[in-house]
């Protein structure tokens, strides 16, 4: 399910900052006859499970860091429920020094007093690579890893979403995907007319259904259009909202999904797509990894950006996953040095080659299936976080108002006009 990212030791040598830290710890031991210094222990709680590609990569980095510095990294591989454990431990003063975080949860963790502003790390040097951290993290990536209070995490993975397809079946889309939403609908109609199913949709997953209206709102009105719906009832008066809902309604009325798509239980639809039973699937950058066991022989998963609309905004979605530092950690300086070590190109390259995710470093190519997403992110002049940040800023409204209402529109039970009218009134009542 979506989140929402071999041992190899580093090259000889460590950064000056890291070397200085070690030298200070050892200074004076022989001259004074005092006992040998003790190195700090860094506690790290991770969202990865033992055996997952990211866990293997990070475990190798941890082992190399411990060998190079003498510092112990006590890691717990907790899996996807790590967030509750971190918050509960933090509430009683026993939170980890470092934990995995996602860009859409920075504000939530920060509200629990668990997120340190790590902006100063952009001027620090990555060991062995001898480059400043900020020089290899593009502005869009730093922005995506921040909230209103500052840079909240050091990213190890980029995320985005778009339209997935099999390049072996449709090689023409790799170079020239549908450019506009009208083009996408026309392409889908041709597939339907030939007896195929254009789109796979796990309709029992509310968030997957919302991909369509989210992207249409951002394309018609620009970043912030969806978030404005949760902020105030007045946001629903934006003409872009009705235009987006009307395009969503056109999509639904065209009958371009598998039969009974609203009842399809995850991961049935995406696996059917991987078996070439449907042509396209709107989803996140994790889809290739999730469906790999079900992909038929010769399947070449690729993703293209959600198409534009006439007069609309061309922006890129950027979400990140990375490491946050607990401001209550007694070892902040060591925490920072450890994360700089983990950001070495050798480990971030493995995020691309082994985990098949996009690395946050601009000098690490994305895996082939995500090349278009990386190109869009690096070239973007306008970006938005996943779900336009609405699911993070207004989580209660998102779950109680927006997703149920979108499901009604996406299932054809209400019209675009009703969607706007009901959305405005229900948002007013919810507030």
């Amino acid at each position: 399910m979506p989140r929402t990212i071999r041992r190899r030791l580093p090259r000889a040598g460590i950064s000056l900052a890291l070397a200085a830290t070690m030298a200070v710890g050892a200074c004076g031991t022989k001259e004074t006859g005092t006992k040998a210094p003790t190195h700090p222990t860094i506690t790290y709680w991770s969202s990865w499970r033992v055996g997952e590609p990211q866990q293997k990569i990070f475990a190798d980095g941890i082992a190399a860091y411990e060998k190079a510095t003498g510092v112990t990294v006590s890691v717990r591989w907790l899996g996807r429920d790590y967030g509750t454990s971190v918050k509960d431990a933090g509430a009683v003063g026993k939170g980890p020094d470092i934990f995995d975080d996602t860009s859409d949860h920075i504000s939530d963790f920060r509200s629990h007093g668990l997120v340190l502003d790590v902006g100063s790390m952009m001027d620090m040097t990555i060991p062995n690579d001898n480059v400043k951290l900020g020089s290899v993290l593009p502005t869009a990536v730093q922005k995506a890893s921040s909230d209103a209070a500052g840079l909240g995490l050091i990213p190890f993975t980029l995320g985005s979403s778009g339209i997935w397809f099999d390049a072996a079946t449709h090689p023409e889309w790799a170079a020239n995907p549908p450019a506009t939403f009208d083009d996408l609908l026309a392409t889908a109609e041709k597939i339907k007319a030939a007896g195929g199913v254009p789109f796979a949709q796990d309709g029992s997953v509310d968030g997957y259904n919302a991909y369509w209206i989210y992207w249409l709102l951002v394309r018609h009105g620009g970043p912030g259009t969806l978030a404005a719906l949760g902020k105030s009832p007045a946001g629903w008066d934006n003409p872009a909202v009705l235009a987006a809902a009307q395009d969503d309604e056109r999509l639904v009325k065209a009958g371009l999904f598998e039969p009974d798509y609203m009842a399809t239980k995850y991961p049935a639809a995406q696996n059917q797509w991987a078996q070439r039973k449907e042509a396209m699937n709107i989803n996140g950058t994790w889809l290739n990894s999730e469906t790999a066991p079900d992909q038929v022989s010769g399947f070449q998963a690729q993703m293209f950006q959600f198409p534009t609309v006439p007069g609309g905004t061309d922006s890129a979605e950027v979400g990140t996953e990375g490491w946050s530092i607990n401001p209550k950690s007694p070892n902040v300086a060591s925490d920072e040095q450890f994360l700089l070590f983990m950001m070495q190109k050798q480990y971030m390259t493995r995020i691309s080659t082994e985990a098949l995710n996009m690395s946050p470093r601009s000098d690490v190519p994305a895996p082939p299936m995500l090349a278009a997403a990386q190109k869009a992110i690096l070239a973007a002049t306008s970006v938005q976080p996943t779900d336009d940040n609405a699911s993070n800023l207004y989580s209660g409204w998102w779950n109680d108002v927006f997703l149920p209402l979108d499901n009604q529109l996406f299932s054809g039970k209400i019209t675009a006009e009703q969607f706007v009218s009901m959305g405005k009134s229900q948002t007013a009542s919810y507030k």
Side-chain angles (χ1 to χ4, degrees):
M1 189 76 177
R3 297 181 45 85
T4 277
I5 233 29
R6 324 161 164 111
R7 185 167 302 278
R8 176 184 172 190
L9 296 180
R11 294 187 296 273
I14 54 178
S15 72
L16 292 177
L18 192 57
T21 299
M22 295 172 65
V24 169
C27 183
T29 300
K30 291 184 178 180
E31 288 78 3
T32 62
T34 58
K35 63 181 180 179
T38 58
H39 295 293
T41 294
I42 296 171
T43 56
Y44 167 33
W45 292 7
S46 177
S47 62
W48 300 103
R49 303 183 187 95
V50 173
E52 291 185 300
Q54 289 87 343
Q55 185 271 334
K56 295 179 181 179
I57 296 166
F58 298 160
D60 285 355
I62 289 169
Y65 181 75
E66 291 179 328
K67 182 177 180 180
T69 65
V71 173
T72 298
V73 180
S74 176
V75 60
R76 295 178 62 187
W77 308 107
L78 297 175
R80 306 304 184 259
D81 294 331
Y82 75 103
T84 300
S85 299
V86 170
K87 292 175 188 177
D88 289 347
V92 294
K94 296 183 179 180
D97 299 326
I98 295 170
F99 59 94
D100 292 351
D101 199 353
T102 55
S103 53
D104 56 337
H105 291 150
I106 291 173
S107 296
D108 182 25
F109 278 117
R110 199 188 292 276
S111 70
H112 288 79
L114 291 166
V115 176
L116 178 73
D117 183 349
V118 291
S120 62
M121 289 184 63
M122 295 302 101
D123 291 325
M124 297 181 182
T125 300
I126 299 175
N128 300 316
D129 293 352
N130 296 319
V131 296
K132 296 288 183 66
L133 179 58
S135 71
V136 294
L137 293 181
T139 300
V141 173
Q142 294 184 41
K143 181 179 179 181
S145 304
S146 305
D147 63 0
L151 188 65
L153 60 81
I154 302 300
F156 54 69
T157 294
L158 297 186
S160 190
S161 62
I163 309 293
W164 283 87
F165 67 100
D166 172 26
T169 305
H170 294 283
E172 70 279 10
W173 295 346
N176 296 293
T180 69
F181 188 67
D182 285 344
D183 292 339
L184 181 64
L185 292 186
T187 298
E189 290 281 12
K190 290 180 181 178
I191 293 172
K192 180 182 177 182
V197 179
F199 298 113
Q201 189 74 31
D202 280 303
S204 61
V205 181
D206 297 345
Y208 279 179
N209 299 338
Y211 268 136
W212 291 99
I213 190 65
Y214 146 61
W215 269 112
L216 287 166
L217 284 165
V218 171
R219 286 291 183 248
H220 277 281
T225 302
L226 172 52
L229 302 184
K231 182 178 181 180
S232 166
W236 293 86
D237 294 328
N238 185 342
V241 179
L242 178 58
Q246 288 172 334
D247 275 348
D248 206 343
E249 185 178 13
R250 282 201 295 148
L251 170 72
V252 171
K253 286 185 174 180
L256 303 174
F257 301 102
E258 78 272 10
D260 298 322
Y261 63 95
M262 289 300 292
T264 304
K265 296 186 181 298
Y266 169 90
Q270 66 178 43
N271 288 343
Q272 289 167 8
W273 166 77
Q275 295 158 14
R276 292 183 175 146
K277 295 178 181 179
E278 288 94 25
M280 292 174 277
N281 187 344
I282 187 169
N283 218 304
T285 44
W286 55 78
L287 185 65
N288 177 66
S289 296
E290 283 197 351
T291 60
D294 294 280
Q295 292 174 11
V296 296
S297 177
F299 197 91
Q300 298 177 23
Q302 287 194 31
M303 189 185 85
F304 60 79
Q305 292 292 286
F306 195 91
T308 60
V309 298
T313 301
D314 187 10
S315 62
E317 176 189 315
V318 189
T320 63
E321 183 172 9
W323 297 288
S324 284
I325 296 177
N326 185 346
K328 298 182 181 66
S329 168
N331 310 305
V332 168
S334 296
D335 299 338
E336 292 174 340
Q337 293 303 318
F338 168 60
L339 295 188
L340 288 169
F341 190 93
M342 298 295 285
M343 287 301 295
Q344 290 181 80
K345 191 174 183 179
Q346 62 169 308
Y347 300 120
M348 292 300 101
T349 296
R350 292 175 63 186
I351 290 293
S352 174
T353 59
E354 295 178 26
L356 300 180
N357 288 160
M358 281 189 290
S359 164
R361 287 185 54 146
S362 57
D363 56 354
V364 175
M369 73 288 298
L370 297 176
Q374 183 184 52
K375 181 180 178 181
I377 290 171
L378 294 179
T381 56
S382 177
V383 299
Q384 81 274 351
T386 306
D387 295 329
D388 204 25
N389 212 29
S391 57
N392 178 34
L393 294 174
Y394 312 108
S395 57
W397 168 87
W398 175 262
N399 290 306
D400 298 340
V401 175
F402 187 77
L403 290 181
L405 190 63
D406 174 63
N407 274 347
Q408 293 184 66
L409 175 66
F410 195 66
S411 62
K413 294 180 180 179
I414 61 175
T415 66
E417 289 75 16
Q418 289 174 317
F419 173 77
V420 174
S421 175
M422 294 168 65
K424 182 175 182 179
S425 63
Q426 290 181 22
T427 299
S429 300
Y430 192 80
K431 296 295 182 182

